[in-house]
Amino acid sequence: AQSVTQPDIHITVSEGASLELRCNYSYGATPYLFWYVQSPGQGLQLLLKYFSGDTLVQGIKGFEAEFKRSQSSFNLRKPSVHWSDAAEYFCAVGATGFQKLVFGTGTRLLVSP
Amino acid sequence: DGGITQSPKYLFRKEGQNVTLSCEQNLNHDAMYWYRQDPGQGLRLIYYSQIVNDFQKGDIAEGYSVSREKKESFPLTVTSAQKNPTAFYLCASSTMEAPGGYGYTFGSGTRLTVV
């Protein structure tokens, strides 16, 4: 069965600084990977997804993620963080022939002035 | 615009009461899901359904029940058997055409509080 680990529970970044949120997955075949963002009291919004092809994936709100098979990672990045990016971020993995996603426990991003 | 509507946004339950959370989608998605979210615990799957009149238990189904009489609707009932129901509940939907359904679409959630 697939699994996802987000090793950082909280991360604080200064506004304007770069951001990288870590996601490691466990799955024997090619995974289908997703990043979601959740603002307080809201549902989750899909930021980006990786199915195949180019390992660098562009998403909404200026985010990107890179799939690295050798490291079983799918880290989320943003070159310059804005105060409005403060939220909780979830990584998820899907498997071939199976629609259920497995979610990580989330990373809460705090943005300092 | 297509999307998922959850109602109500806030719900209060007395001890021993059953309450029902509504989830409706107009995305023509086949699959629908209910998650429970508690601080620091991420998302935990309660029930999911991939077709009308059929549903499967997730990881924490005890104390919950669902129905799927229409493709668009997947209501969740929190029964009195659920001993700690205070949480944020999220409904989601997806296609069945790809792993992870090309990504789920989520509703805006219902916050349930026991009073």
Side-chain angles (χ1 to χ4, degrees):
Chain A
Q2 65 270 41
S3 66
V4 175
T5 301
Q6 293 181 249
D8 303 305
I9 297 174
H10 297 100
I11 282 186
T12 300
V13 174
S14 299
E15 190 168 15
S18 64
L19 169 70
E20 183 168 27
L21 301 182
R22 296 185 290 165
C23 173
N24 294 100
Y25 69 89
S26 173
Y27 182 58
T30 299
Y32 296 79
L33 296 159
F34 306 81
W35 273 102
Y36 288 84
V37 61
Q38 183 183 32
S39 297
Q42 299 297 317
L44 278 69
Q45 181 183 20
L46 182 64
L47 282 175
L48 48 79
K49 59 194 174 193
Y50 171 78
F51 278 13
S52 64
D54 194 347
T55 56
L56 185 62
V57 180
Q58 301 298 320
I60 62 172
K61 302 176 186 273
F63 285 92
E64 66 179 26
E66 186 171 13
F67 171 59
K68 293 186 177 180
R69 184 187 301 276
S70 62
Q71 299 178 19
S72 298
S73 69
F74 188 56
N75 294 349
L76 183 71
R77 302 194 295 242
K78 187 170 185 179
S80 177
V81 167
H82 188 262
W83 64 266
S84 60
D85 293 323
E88 189 149 22
Y89 292 81
F90 292 92
C91 182
V93 62
T96 303
F98 190 62
Q99 275 64 41
K100 281 198 300 175
L101 290 180
V102 174
F103 287 86
T105 51
T107 297
R108 181 165 297 279
L109 173 65
L110 305 174
V111 180
S112 60
Chain B
D1 286 339
I4 294 185
T5 301
Q6 288 188 242
S7 61
K9 189 168 179 67
Y10 299 95
L11 186 58
F12 297 90
R13 191 193 94 168
K14 294 181 180 179
E15 296 282 351
Q17 257 186 351
N18 291 355
V19 290
T20 298
L21 284 60
S22 170
C23 179
E24 303 274 338
Q25 55 100 357
N26 60 3
L27 299 164
N28 200 33
H29 284 168
D30 289 302
M32 297 187 74
Y33 314 82
W34 273 107
Y35 286 90
R36 170 177 171 145
Q37 190 174 26
D38 297 281
Q41 296 196 43
L43 300 171
R44 293 186 289 170
L45 182 64
I46 305 172
Y47 270 98
Y48 65 101
S49 168
Q50 296 178 321
I51 193 171
V52 173
N53 293 323
D54 187 48
F55 46 83
Q56 308 296 327
K57 292 182 179 180
D59 302 317
I60 56 164
E62 184 175 352
Y64 300 97
S65 65
V66 293
S67 63
R68 187 90 186 275
E69 297 177 0
K70 298 186 300 181
K71 186 176 183 178
E72 302 79 21
S73 178
F74 191 41
L76 173 74
T77 297
V78 184
T79 75
S80 56
Q82 172 50 241
K83 297 307 178 188
N84 184 22
T86 295
F88 190 57
Y89 291 87
L90 286 164
C91 180
S93 70
S94 75
T95 75
M96 295 283 291
E97 296 167 6
Y102 292 119
Y104 294 175
T105 300
F106 281 85
S108 57
T110 293
R111 184 164 300 281
L112 173 63
T113 304
V114 174
V115 296

